[in-house]
Amino acid sequence: MGRPVITARAAATFEPVGRSVAAARAFVRDTLHGWGLQEVVDDAVVLTSELVTNAVVHAGTTAEVICLRDREGVRVEVADRHPERELPLQEPGLHMGNPDREGGRGLLLCGALASHWGVDYTTADKRVWFRLDLPERPVGTRSAGPALPDDQLPLTDPRVRVAVVQIDRLGAVSAWNDDATALFGYPPEQVVGKPLGDLAAWPHTPGTGTGIAEALALSRWEGTYGIRGADGRTQPVYASHLRVRDAQGEPSTVCLLVPESGRAVLQSAPRSAAADGGTGQENRDRSTTDPFEAFIGSPAPEDLDGLLQRTVERARDMLDGDAAYLLLATDDETELEVRASTGLPAARQRFARVPVEAGSGRYGSARMPSVHEDVTAVPGAVPLLSGTGMRSVVTVPLKVEGRLTGSLGVAAEAAGRYTNEEALRLQFAADRIALAVESARLTELERLRRGSLSFLVEASDLLAGTLDRDQTLALMAQMTVPTLATWCAVYTIADTTSEPELSYVLHEDEEQIDGLK
């Protein structure tokens, strides 16, 4: 089989600074969305983020990111200028999946997510690439409904009119068709250049949901709002929005509007059992979008640490942050413990604890969302970020049935990056993962409890099987290493007045036993 025929190419170079990682993520996300490859955007962004981090943070060189599209998928290449740098490949006995170890994790992710991946060396650079194949897209009918009697068909006006309104990147009307004039009474010259918000009666209370600006920025949106007509009356409409960009890369939003009474013309119907030619169960599975999977990706990690790590990476990418972290509440809900982070010194932050109530007011409590425009202006406001170079941060609580179970935060190196709008987006995601995180945590606790019981039973059986003193001491150390610890020292005391005496030493690395003694 010959090489794939490249149908599109995009490239960008990023300087060796921390902010470049977020810029590279945005570049890949925008490129793939522009090419209509939404199916692989999330995986591509995660992989790019890891590989660019290796280049600009660990290798300390500029990174060139190249996106190549063909008919079957997309290939992304990340090149750095440090060809002699040895890649941290996984070696026997070296577990790269440890969240405290950053080296090599990008390559492990390539192995887990990419269809194909590899490393190419030249005298001038090192190029790590991965390929994501597009899922097979069914050909033919995508959606169909049964034939219905005439009296069961949806009602519309005798003359169906669909207003087509195009909105530019600033939220102003840039195009207004004849049906829009007929429906709302405005000629194009009267509305072009004006913000859509001047005409729309948006059903939104600030701070509680998606506003019109947020809706226009989404790749797709569908719902109901009102348009104020030239006669002063507000007409309810059903709308379908699609975010597009032109050949010069300029984004805009195309809005299709019909009177609310004719919403059946635009409203997306539930997928039927016959859609896409699949079985009824397959289509029910595809038509029911799980909000948790929409954020965390599918398949979701089965273990708690994997789930938490995926969560912080997706949260960071969603808000184009430089770092993210997730804390879980202790049983008494007085403290929060760091369990996952990205973009922060993991070895120092992992299992660090902070109080739930760090001060008076909203921003001193982990029970409420908070936005810090510049943490350096208030020393100690977010202790976890001290000395990390992060300046702005948004945090939201994870709650299950009103009980605080954790906290999710995203941080950036620049000040003033986040507002209440980002806090709402992050809270929306946190609400959808909180129950899954709590369930995984309880499963982990149960596994640990069973493991402890099994260990105690095994220890009792072994120790009960011998009365020899030296053998008993050796068994005590052997049961501990490596199940509970890396090394163990057993001391004995002859009587209450004597000093403890070292009787047995064991280390999982036998060569270190003498030094340990």
Side-chain angles (χ1 to χ4, degrees):
M1 184 176 64
R3 294 176 61 87
V5 177
I6 303 301
T7 59
R9 183 184 188 276
T13 301
F14 303 93
E15 295 301 314
V17 294
R19 180 62 193 146
S20 292
V21 179
R25 289 196 298 267
F27 164 70
V28 171
R29 182 185 296 110
D30 291 345
T31 298
L32 299 190
H33 273 302
W35 290 347
L37 305 181
Q38 287 81 1
E39 302 97 323
V40 298
V41 166
D42 287 344
D43 287 344
V45 168
V46 170
L47 294 176
T48 301
S49 183
E50 292 294 338
L51 298 182
V52 173
T53 298
N54 288 342
V56 303
V57 176
H58 302 311
T61 77
T62 58
E64 182 182 23
V65 180
I66 303 173
C67 300
L68 303 170
R69 185 187 69 181
D70 57 61
R71 293 180 180 179
E72 285 75 37
V74 63
R75 172 180 166 126
V76 177
E77 301 177 355
V78 178
D80 65 53
R81 308 304 179 192
H82 203 165
E84 69 276 11
R85 179 180 172 83
E86 186 175 325
L87 283 171
L89 297 173
Q90 190 164 1
E91 301 171 357
L94 183 62
H95 180 55
M96 293 294 186
N98 189 324
D100 287 343
R101 183 183 181 91
E102 292 196 5
R105 195 157 61 93
L107 300 182
L108 289 181
L109 281 174
C110 285
L113 299 179
S115 305
H116 306 282
W117 68 277
V119 185
D120 297 332
Y121 287 94
T122 71
T123 56
D125 63 23
K126 174 178 81 266
R127 192 173 299 265
V128 184
W129 59 270
F130 62 87
R131 178 179 176 80
L132 296 170
D133 291 337
L134 291 173
E136 185 176 352
R137 295 174 173 175
V139 177
T141 302
R142 295 302 308 272
S143 179
L148 294 176
D150 292 350
D151 59 355
Q152 295 183 25
L153 297 175
L155 288 171
T156 66
D157 295 329
R159 167 74 162 85
V160 176
R161 295 186 182 276
V162 179
V164 180
V165 181
Q166 193 161 0
I167 311 299
D168 63 22
R169 68 159 64 239
L170 300 178
V173 176
S174 60
W176 183 270
N177 74 342
D178 292 341
D179 279 357
T181 298
L183 287 173
F184 310 121
Y186 300 106
E189 59 271 16
Q190 196 171 342
V191 292
V192 169
K194 291 186 177 180
L196 180 63
D198 290 354
L199 304 175
W202 194 263
H204 166 65
T205 302
T208 62
T210 302
I212 187 169
E214 293 87 352
L216 291 174
L218 298 175
S219 60
R220 286 185 180 276
W221 185 91
E222 189 173 313
T224 302
Y225 52 92
I227 294 292
R228 301 181 185 90
D231 58 2
R233 297 180 181 179
T234 298
Q235 179 175 349
V237 297
Y238 193 84
S240 176
H241 297 178
L242 176 66
R243 189 76 165 166
V244 298
R245 69 173 181 171
D246 60 23
Q248 285 71 45
E250 182 68 17
S252 63
T253 303
V254 177
C255 306
L256 306 182
L257 313 173
V258 296
E260 171 65 24
S261 58
R263 64 186 298 158
V265 175
L266 295 181
Q267 188 171 20
S268 298
R271 301 284 291 275
S272 66
D276 292 344
T279 65
Q281 182 61 43
E282 288 172 347
N283 282 280
R284 280 193 294 273
D285 292 343
R286 283 198 292 259
S287 64
T288 306
T289 301
D290 186 339
F292 167 73
E293 287 193 355
F295 174 74
I296 210 68
S298 181
E302 296 181 358
D303 62 299
L304 177 62
D305 286 338
L307 175 61
L308 299 183
Q309 194 62 34
R310 179 80 66 85
T311 297
V312 296
E313 290 168 355
R314 293 297 167 92
R316 174 202 62 191
D317 295 347
M318 182 178 74
L319 297 188
D320 277 341
D322 298 306
Y325 55 90
L326 192 148
L327 305 91
L328 293 183
T330 54
D331 291 339
D332 59 4
E333 293 185 34
T334 61
E335 289 186 308
L336 293 165
E337 182 180 72
V338 179
R339 290 298 302 270
S341 67
T342 181
L344 298 176
R348 178 167 68 88
Q349 301 289 353
R350 188 167 168 79
F351 296 118
R353 289 193 173 187
V354 296
V356 169
E357 306 294 344
S360 60
R362 169 184 173 183
Y363 295 110
S365 172
R367 303 181 189 277
M368 296 288 289
S370 66
V371 177
H372 294 271
E373 294 185 352
D374 191 350
V375 295
T376 61
V378 185
V382 186
L384 287 174
L385 300 181
S386 298
T388 62
M390 302 298 159
R391 296 188 62 182
S392 54
V393 60
V394 53
T395 64
V396 297
L398 275 68
K399 293 184 177 182
V400 176
E401 296 180 348
R403 179 173 58 87
L404 180 71
T405 60
S407 177
L408 178 61
V410 177
E413 293 178 348
R417 282 283 305 283
Y418 300 121
T419 65
N420 286 340
E421 295 177 3
E422 284 77 23
L424 287 171
R425 292 178 60 197
L426 191 61
Q427 186 68 71
F428 184 83
D431 291 344
R432 273 138 188 81
I433 64 167
L435 184 59
V437 168
E438 181 66 2
S439 177
R441 188 184 73 87
L442 294 176
T443 299
E444 179 193 64
L445 292 176
E446 177 64 16
R447 179 180 58 80
L448 293 174
R449 185 186 70 84
R450 291 183 179 181
S452 299
L453 292 176
S454 298
F455 176 77
L456 291 175
V457 170
E458 181 182 358
S460 298
D461 290 343
L462 288 173
L463 295 176
T466 179
L467 296 177
D468 182 85
R469 174 185 178 276
D470 291 337
Q471 187 176 2
T472 299
L473 297 177
L475 284 173
M476 292 172 64
Q478 290 167 7
M479 288 185 302
T480 304
V481 178
T483 305
L484 300 180
T486 303
W487 61 271
C488 175
V490 181
Y491 291 83
T492 57
I493 301 176
D495 55 61
T496 57
T497 61
S498 62
E499 292 293 325
E501 180 183 351
L502 182 63
S503 299
Y504 195 88
V505 176
L506 182 65
H507 195 290
E508 64 180 3
D509 183 354
E510 294 182 358
E511 295 181 356
Q512 298 192 40
I513 292 179
D514 291 340
L516 188 60
K517 287 181 179 179

